[in-house]
């Protein structure tokens, strides 16, 4: 999960509900209520930073972006995933974790 | 006939039916309870509130006179209710632990809160080599199952079958519990293989 979120944010500043939409498009379902705590956790771990962006309707929105530490964490996760992927050869599609890895890999391509 | 009130939700004024307002309050209160132990709970709640406000004003902009019960339900469903989070959290944690046993990323993935399982001695059938006795004891003592397994192995080989007897007795006596629930089977395979892989990569680090 973190990996998917980080990889979306890595490509540019992101608004939480856009992240949910993107993940849905990649067939990964996450509830917004689960995403916010994750983002806050990652932010408190200094992996993410945010800035307020004025929106044309109502109060400003929070846009998240990756910090250097987040970038390092992302690379580390990527390696771990690659290793797990090698091990499982991504063949056993019945396993949810594998499914997640496979769809993440597809998603990144 | 329903009373409509105006509320200020994160800086937006939203017209809402009073029964819907009560529902909304109940929902936010349940979230607050759910995140009570979370470090950045106020921030999380604020973020969620402003997202709810955004969804609501979108509805109003599209022509709704006020927010109804059905609207609140719809929003709560799309944001997720505390009951829904439970399942997602489990998925997420097993995923995180499979990642960390597979080799690297020691610091970051483990910074998450430990899984909330009920205390009490049991056999963990989702993480077992023989009967899950060791991992059950490990969960009770809050230590790594590998430590308990090694200790048990030492007792078994050095204690003239004492450990073996103790294991069999515990196996019979302790109740079984599948900690990972519905996702257990699949993840345990991953976890075990990760454990084997983790030993190798751990040894690999030495050279």
């Amino acid at each position: 999960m973190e990996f998917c979120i980080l990889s979306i944010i890595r490509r540019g500043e992101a608004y939480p509900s856009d992240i949910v939409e993107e993940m849905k498009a990649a067939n990964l379902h996450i509830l917004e209520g689960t995403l916010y705590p994750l983002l806050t956790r990652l932010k408190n771990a200094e992996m993410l930073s945010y800035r307020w962006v004025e929106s044309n309707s109502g109060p400003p929105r929070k846009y998240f972006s990756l910090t250097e530490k987040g970038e390092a964490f992302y690379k580390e996760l990527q390696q771990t995933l690659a290793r797990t992927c090698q091990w499982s050869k991504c063949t056993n599609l019945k396993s949810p974790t594998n499914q997640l890895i496979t769809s993440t890999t597809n998603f990144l391509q | 006939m329903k009373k409509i009130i105006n509320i200020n939700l994160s800086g937006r004024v939203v017209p809402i039916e009073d029964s819907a307002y009560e529902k909304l309050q109940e929902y936010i209160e349940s979230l607050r309870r759910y995140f009570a132990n979370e470090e950045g709970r106020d921030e999380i709640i604020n973020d969620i509130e402003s997202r709810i406000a955004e969804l609501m004003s979108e509805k109003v902009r599209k022509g709704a006179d006020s927010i109804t019960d059905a609207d609140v339900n719809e929003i709560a469903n799309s944001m997720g209710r505390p009951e829904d989070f439970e399942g997602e959290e489990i998925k997420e944690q097993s995923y995180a632990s499979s990642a960390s046993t597979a080799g690297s990323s020691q610091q970051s993935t483990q910074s998450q809160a430990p899984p909330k399982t009920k205390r009490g001695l049991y056999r963990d059938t989702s993480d077992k080599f023989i009967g899950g006795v060791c991992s059950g004891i490990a969960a009770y003592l809050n230590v790594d199952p590998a430590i308990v397994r090694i200790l048990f192995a030492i007792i078994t080989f050095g204690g003239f079958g004492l450990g073996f007897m103790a294991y069999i007795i515990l196996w019979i006596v302790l109740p079984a519990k599948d900690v990972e629930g519905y996702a257990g089977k699949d993840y345990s395979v991953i976890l075990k293989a990760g454990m084997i892989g983790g030993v190798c990569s751990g040894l690999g680090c030495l050279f």
Side-chain angles (χ1 to χ4, degrees):
Chain A
M1 276 306 176
E2 278 95 339
F3 183 72
C4 304
I5 294 164
L6 288 177
S7 60
I8 292 170
I9 296 173
R10 193 166 174 257
R11 291 181 304 184
E13 281 185 315
Y15 183 62
S17 66
D18 296 338
I19 298 178
V20 174
E21 286 305 313
E22 273 201 54
M23 287 179 75
K24 225 178 246 172
N27 222 359
L28 289 164
H29 293 271
I30 184 172
L31 290 166
E32 271 189 72
T34 326
L35 181 64
Y36 283 106
L38 261 178
L39 287 173
T40 310
R41 244 180 260 165
L42 287 169
K43 194 211 74 201
N44 288 343
E46 291 165 12
M47 309 267 182
L48 296 179
S49 63
Y50 67 87
R51 68 191 180 98
W52 293 100
V53 176
E54 290 294 330
S55 71
N56 41 16
S57 61
R61 293 162 143 206
K62 250 184 194 177
Y63 275 78
F64 287 88
S65 53
L66 217 59
T67 61
E68 269 172 44
K69 207 174 158 191
E71 181 76 31
F73 179 57
Y74 173 83
K75 295 231 164 90
E76 212 174 313
L77 265 182
Q78 201 174 25
Q79 276 174 3
T80 314
L81 270 179
R83 219 173 300 170
T84 322
C85 224
Q86 256 173 14
W87 160 73
S88 63
K89 293 201 183 79
C90 289
T91 44
N92 181 11
L93 277 171
K94 273 177 195 154
S95 144
T97 314
N98 263 348
Q99 236 161 21
L100 183 71
I101 294 166
T102 328
S103 37
T104 316
T105 330
N106 291 339
F107 172 68
L108 289 174
Q109 279 157 5
Chain B
M1 190 171 67
K2 279 190 171 174
K3 201 161 76 185
I4 290 171
I5 45 178
N6 274 320
I7 55 165
N8 182 341
L9 196 58
S10 326
R12 282 169 207 249
V13 177
V14 185
I16 185 170
E17 288 178 359
D18 63 344
S19 58
Y21 167 70
E22 267 162 38
K23 268 210 165 105
L24 178 67
Q25 232 175 359
E26 217 170 89
Y27 172 62
I28 292 176
E29 205 43 53
S30 71
L31 289 179
R32 220 180 275 278
R33 270 198 303 275
Y34 182 78
F35 292 122
N37 297 322
E38 195 82 32
E39 202 182 321
R41 58 181 174 279
D42 294 331
E43 201 175 352
I44 297 170
I45 298 291
N46 283 342
D47 285 352
I48 291 178
E49 269 185 14
S50 53
R51 178 66 186 145
I52 292 173
E54 198 175 31
L55 289 171
M56 284 182 170
S57 49
E58 219 163 88
K59 279 202 189 293
V60 173
R61 216 182 26 239
K62 276 183 189 156
D65 297 330
S66 64
I67 301 300
T68 61
D69 288 8
D71 293 334
V72 172
N73 271 338
E74 191 192 317
I75 289 171
N77 284 340
S78 80
M79 299 292 291
R81 294 171 195 275
E83 307 88 89
D84 307 328
F85 301 159
E86 305 269 340
E88 291 226 342
E89 286 277 303
I90 291 169
K91 267 193 251 166
E92 204 181 286
Q93 266 152 5
S94 339
Y95 166 66
S97 53
S98 73
S100 64
T101 42
S104 67
S105 75
Q106 291 88 345
Q107 342 85 348
S108 24
T109 34
Q110 281 165 9
S111 61
Q112 288 188 341
K116 286 170 219 123
T117 41
K118 268 180 225 144
R119 258 179 110 70
L121 207 49
Y122 55 86
R123 292 188 290 119
D124 182 355
T125 50
S126 61
D127 177 19
K128 64 175 183 178
F129 273 96
I130 306 169
V133 171
C134 288
S135 59
I137 293 173
Y140 182 73
L141 299 173
N142 207 6
V143 294
D144 195 308
I147 297 171
V148 183
R149 288 193 182 113
I150 291 168
L151 282 178
F152 241 106
I154 292 170
I155 297 169
T156 308
F157 289 114
F160 309 105
L162 196 73
F164 182 69
M165 285 299 291
Y167 194 97
I168 298 293
I169 291 167
L170 284 170
W171 195 352
I172 296 165
V173 170
L174 295 183
K177 189 161 126 187
D178 193 354
V179 175
E180 284 180 17
Y182 65 96
K185 287 277 152 47
D186 277 338
Y187 284 123
S188 69
V189 176
I190 296 268
L191 283 175
K192 261 181 222 159
M195 233 180 285
I196 297 161
V199 170
C200 296
S201 65
L203 286 173
C205 283
L206 289 173
F207 302 107

